[in-house]
Amino acid sequence: KVRQDEQLALDLMAAIRADAEAICSPNAIEMVSVTIDVSSAASGTAAVTLEPKIDRRTRTVLFTGGMARQDGTPVMKATAVYRILPEA
């Protein structure tokens, strides 16, 4: 069974990837690295806001990340690096 914090990490990474794919389209991307920091546990059923953010893009690499907030309080932060693949 997936724990609540693990599901939140998956949801945050999905939001970050969707943002990265939109920015890099029509090129595909593949993950190089990811780091997730948990600052506090999400509690109960209060809504969590996912905020992806592109940090920097080069011709072949995208540096990105995102924050998960609950009631405005950061609960999880992720940073990711994606390789931008040549167009097929």
Side-chain angles (χ1 to χ4, degrees):
K1 181 177 176 177
V2 177
R3 295 172 35 118
Q4 183 179 10
D5 58 344
E6 295 166 339
Q7 185 61 55
L8 181 56
L10 292 171
D11 293 345
L12 179 56
M13 285 310 304
I16 291 169
R17 184 173 184 93
D19 192 48
E21 287 175 338
I23 293 295
C24 294
S25 180
N27 298 76
I29 58 173
E30 61 183 28
M31 184 181 292
V32 174
S33 68
V34 65
T35 302
I36 297 176
D37 297 309
V38 179
S39 50
S40 66
S43 58
T45 59
V48 174
T49 304
L50 304 175
E51 305 167 351
K53 179 182 177 232
I54 302 298
D55 294 317
R56 187 166 67 100
R57 179 184 174 174
T58 69
R59 186 176 57 79
T60 58
V61 178
L62 180 71
F63 300 89
T64 186
M67 180 80 65
R69 297 179 190 271
Q70 188 173 46
D71 293 330
T73 302
V75 292
M76 187 175 289
K77 178 181 177 182
T79 57
V81 178
Y82 289 96
R83 181 176 298 112
I84 303 170
L85 302 175
E87 288 187 58

